[in-house]
Amino acid sequence: MAHWYDHAIIYQIYPKSFQDTNNDGIGDLNGIRQRIPYLQKLGINAIWLNPVFVSPQVDNGYDVSNYFAIDPAMGTMEDMNSLIEDCHKAGIHVIMDFVLNHTSNQHPWFQDAISDPNSIYRDYYIFAGKDGKRPNNWGSFFGGSVWEEDPAGTGEFYFHLFDKKMPDLNWKNPEVRHSMLEIAEYWLEKGIDGLRLDAFIHIAKADLRQNFPTEDGNGDPVVAEPFFANLPQVQTWLRPFCEQIKQDYPETLLLGEAASANVNLAVDYTERRNHLMDSVVTFRYFTEDNSQVDKHYSDVYQPKTLDMTAFKQNQTVWQQTLAGISYPTLYWSNHDMARLRTRVAKNDIQARSLAMLMYLQRGIPIIYYGEELGMQNLQFDNESQFSDQTVEAFIASAKKAGLSKEEAIKMASLVHKMPARGPMPWNHDKNYGFSEADSWIKGQKVDNCVVDDQIDDERSSFNFYKRMLELKQEDLFQDGDYYLLSTDKNSYVYQRDLGEKSAIVASSLSDKETAVVIPKGYEVEKLSAGDYQLNDGKLTLMPYSGVVLMKK
Ligand code: GLC
Ligand code: CA
């Protein structure tokens, strides 16, 4: 039986940056509500909100201190209820971000755990080590060790994969699993339609007594992915959680964030008989080309191009492997990476052509707010705007190699996730109509994308996305088969077939004119980005342009 989410077209909203209604510089739920007509016009049918629970905002909401209430900076429970209701009236489903691997250190469970070593909540978290000695050399994604001293002074440490103010939950403990299910069901009972399971692949950890093997055996902390990502217990522990949700709320979309999952794991996570997720988001789509990297300093925030051949390989493998299993997610950017137009697309034509290429494949599009306008990363001018210790380390390393601090900050602005979270530009009023107050996120806008300029302009990026999403809703692009046509590295061309219907989607990946031979009979243009010529099966694409052609 088909579910609504098989044909979902998701728009990702970073609530703090979408629309502020009470002029405190922070976007809020009422702001999203106010913009529902815009979302309808664009043609999406679901929104995914980054976390809106009560949070000290150490990691912009991914550090939750109360899962049963809305962060006051973003609104109230009543606002949330109204948002859900209004979205549903408009035919838009609501997906919430569900942070289940860790909590804030301000969460009452953690506060209790550190106030009394005999607290029942001690076992909600992962405490280990003794006499002030860390159990192992594992490193945190946010820099430094995963181990932080127990503030209670027991000589033990607690585990945190992300910020030290975000202690990991101990999923081994059945009480934790039960509590998290309770929270999920609380929100589903309110009528939300889906959960994005944040960082779920990390809930199981290997034996904590093992160091990750390195040459010197015990040096600086190392990010030991194989010891805390995709372990088999992730599935064992999440299965009852997912099964219960599907039993109680069968129309719930379970969308997992599985950053490092390869395609085989994606099969495991989404195959029906495994009773886990419906779809996962992998970061493995985007293989970078490291050949231009300057080896004299750290490469983390040096801009890299996408290795287009590897990208094509990855896409095809995901498309063909998940055919008949589940719908892959299709996306170009999110709050954890630089924006499409900054990271990959060389110009506006390419941004459109790449969007078309990605979203008309088989799967669920997830469009990051502002992408439909061609929005770029902000430009930061101060290292503190990144609030990230790994950026400080990058700047230090770049300075040693002779770069100025300004150059390093400029570089990091093109690569880092924070500048991708800029305010949505609605109009030409103060702060682009986002807020009368200065935005919570500082940084300079470098593009000239504004909703008001684009909305009625047929040639705008917004209207390109709108037409593309109309096309996406046709059954050919939802359920048709996919296969890649053999072309060289200068283009990406695939075919979609459903019964008698058939279309070719062709995109140039080159800055030169590119010719490809396509099967005869595809002549009806459905959508195009940039210019092309079609002559008796020979398709010539102008630099970076793309076209969708239907069989007559
Ligand atoms: C996920 C989120 C990211 C967050 C992390 C910790 O990867 O997408 O933004 O920092 O989890 O919750
Ligand atoms: Ca506000």
Side-chain angles (χ1 to χ4, degrees):
M1 203 188 68
H3 298 282
W4 75 266
Y5 47 79
D6 293 340
H7 295 166
I9 298 177
I10 303 174
Y11 187 79
Q12 179 189 350
I13 294 181
Y14 204 69
K16 288 175 86 172
S17 296
F18 201 57
Q19 174 73 72
D20 179 19
T21 55
N22 62 347
N23 295 314
D24 60 357
I26 304 172
D28 40 55
L29 297 178
N30 285 332
I32 301 172
R33 244 176 99 197
Q34 193 177 305
R35 294 299 180 179
I36 289 176
Y38 173 80
L39 302 173
Q40 274 183 300
K41 189 155 191 174
L42 180 59
I44 54 93
N45 59 24
I47 53 175
W48 148 33
L49 307 181
N50 288 97
V52 295
F53 310 113
V54 179
S55 159
Q57 304 287 328
V58 167
D59 188 20
N60 291 298
Y62 284 96
D63 49 319
V64 181
S65 55
N66 179 0
Y67 288 91
F68 295 103
I70 298 293
D71 193 286
M74 281 180 257
T76 63
M77 195 56 99
E78 272 167 28
D79 299 342
M80 187 66 202
N81 293 338
S82 312
L83 177 63
I84 298 171
E85 202 183 314
D86 288 0
C87 281
H88 286 172
K89 275 191 207 143
I92 295 173
H93 297 87
V94 179
I95 303 163
M96 285 182 95
D97 220 314
F98 189 58
V99 190
L100 47 75
N101 175 69
H102 44 265
T103 68
S104 158
N105 65 348
Q106 299 305 309
H107 194 288
W109 296 337
F110 191 74
Q111 285 299 312
D112 205 83
I114 55 171
S115 68
D116 173 8
N118 296 318
S119 152
I120 54 155
Y121 291 110
R122 192 81 177 170
D123 200 31
Y124 265 50
Y125 296 91
I126 304 168
F127 285 90
K130 59 171 190 232
D131 305 331
K133 198 175 168 310
R134 293 186 160 73
N136 59 43
N137 67 347
W138 304 356
S140 150
F141 287 130
F142 284 10
S145 168
V146 297
W147 296 105
E148 186 67 20
E149 262 169 73
D150 177 6
T154 57
E156 291 190 328
F157 295 79
Y158 68 87
F159 186 106
H160 64 91
L161 206 42
F162 298 91
D163 193 272
K164 62 170 187 263
K165 293 186 173 157
M166 296 155 73
D168 281 44
L169 286 163
N170 177 22
W171 272 74
K172 220 184 239 176
N173 180 353
E175 289 295 326
V176 166
R177 302 194 309 255
H178 177 77
S179 299
M180 295 322 276
L181 178 63
E182 216 169 57
I183 297 166
E185 297 225 320
Y186 170 80
W187 287 99
L188 289 164
E189 184 56 36
K190 277 192 169 296
I192 64 162
D193 309 283
L195 296 170
R196 175 218 183 237
L197 304 181
D198 179 64
F200 81 87
I201 59 174
H202 300 299
I203 61 172
K205 281 85 179 165
D207 191 323
L208 301 173
R209 293 168 301 187
Q210 299 175 96
N211 265 353
F212 190 76
T214 56
E215 264 175 39
D216 61 3
N218 199 3
D220 290 340
V222 277
V223 178
E225 280 253 10
F227 285 19
F228 45 64
N230 299 304
L231 297 180
Q233 291 78 13
V234 169
Q235 298 183 39
T236 320
W237 294 334
L238 275 180
R239 187 163 296 113
F241 173 92
C242 297
E243 274 175 336
Q244 192 65 48
I245 287 177
K246 288 287 188 179
Q247 192 179 319
D248 298 340
Y249 304 91
E251 281 298 305
T252 304
L253 164 64
L254 293 176
L255 176 64
E257 185 208 23
S260 61
N262 61 24
V263 72
N264 300 71
L265 280 163
V267 170
D268 287 351
Y269 290 142
T270 62
E271 210 171 12
R272 259 200 198 174
R273 60 164 186 208
N274 280 342
H275 300 276
L276 292 162
M277 324 275 143
D278 299 297
S279 186
V280 290
V281 176
T282 178
F283 283 33
R284 292 270 179 117
Y285 282 178
F286 308 116
T287 312
E288 283 167 338
D289 175 359
N290 289 316
S291 61
Q292 304 299 318
V293 161
D294 185 336
K295 298 208 173 57
H296 296 97
Y297 61 103
S298 162
D299 72 342
V300 261
Y301 298 118
Q302 290 190 44
K304 297 167 200 95
T305 52
L306 201 59
D307 178 334
M308 283 297 184
T309 302
F311 170 72
K312 241 161 104 173
Q313 290 164 352
N314 293 340
Q315 287 299 299
T316 318
V317 166
W318 280 74
Q319 285 287 313
Q320 80 188 18
T321 309
L322 292 183
I325 303 271
S326 62
Y327 287 91
T329 53
L330 307 170
Y331 74 102
W332 272 114
S333 30
N334 60 40
H335 65 294
D336 285 329
M337 57 180 75
R339 286 181 173 273
L340 165 63
R341 179 66 177 81
T342 304
R343 201 177 89 245
V344 193
K346 304 273 193 307
N347 58 24
D348 292 340
I349 291 183
Q350 191 178 23
R352 295 179 194 193
S353 168
L354 290 176
M356 182 184 94
L357 172 171
M358 176 65 83
Y359 301 126
L360 293 180
Q361 298 184 117
R362 184 180 165 278
I364 302 173
I366 308 180
I367 294 162
Y368 187 48
Y369 80 101
E371 182 193 308
E372 73 279 17
L373 308 172
M375 221 169 124
Q376 300 179 28
N377 270 21
L378 297 173
Q379 159 79 59
F380 285 175
D381 57 19
N382 189 306
E383 65 192 277
S384 67
Q385 291 163 328
F386 295 95
S387 34
D388 183 343
Q389 52 175 297
T390 66
V391 175
E392 283 157 40
F394 171 75
I395 295 173
S397 140
K399 274 166 76 179
K400 268 193 206 149
L403 275 83
S404 69
K405 190 173 179 175
E406 289 66 39
E407 283 170 316
I409 290 174
K410 204 164 183 180
M411 241 181 223
S413 295
L414 299 172
V415 180
H416 198 262
K417 60 187 179 184
M418 271 314 268
R421 302 173 179 180
M424 183 78 172
W426 294 103
N427 54 43
H428 289 282
D429 294 350
K430 194 175 174 202
N431 300 316
Y432 297 94
F434 164 70
S435 170
E436 277 170 32
D438 288 345
S439 157
W440 68 278
I441 186 167
K442 309 279 176 266
Q444 197 188 316
K445 181 172 164 69
V446 300
D447 56 63
N448 52 20
C449 305
V450 173
V451 170
D452 267 8
D453 297 343
Q454 295 201 13
I455 203 118
D456 295 321
D457 178 356
E458 279 309 304
R459 297 156 311 167
S460 70
S461 175
F462 176 88
N463 278 300
F464 175 85
Y465 267 72
K466 184 173 185 294
R467 289 194 297 275
M468 174 181 72
L469 296 182
E470 270 163 29
L471 208 51
K472 177 71 191 179
Q473 283 165 42
E474 293 185 11
D475 51 2
L476 171 61
F477 294 100
Q478 301 278 14
D479 297 317
D481 292 337
Y482 164 102
Y483 81 93
L484 187 79
L485 301 191
S486 315
T487 59
D488 66 15
K489 65 175 187 345
N490 294 316
S491 61
Y492 185 117
V493 187
Y494 60 87
Q495 188 169 323
R496 301 287 317 260
D497 293 320
L498 187 72
E500 294 294 293
K501 293 184 212 157
S502 179
I504 298 254
V505 179
S507 276
S508 161
L509 304 173
S510 162
D511 58 357
K512 311 222 164 38
E513 226 178 86
T514 301
V516 293
V517 178
I518 58 166
K520 292 239 163 78
Y522 291 84
E523 281 157 27
V524 185
E525 180 193 308
K526 276 282 185 166
L527 184 71
S528 69
D531 290 325
Y532 71 96
Q533 282 155 16
L534 181 62
N535 241 322
D536 205 24
K538 190 177 151 211
L539 175 66
T540 309
L541 296 164
M542 298 307 136
Y544 299 127
S545 63
V547 63
V548 181
L549 297 168
M550 293 287 291
K551 200 168 189 168
K552 268 216 293 208

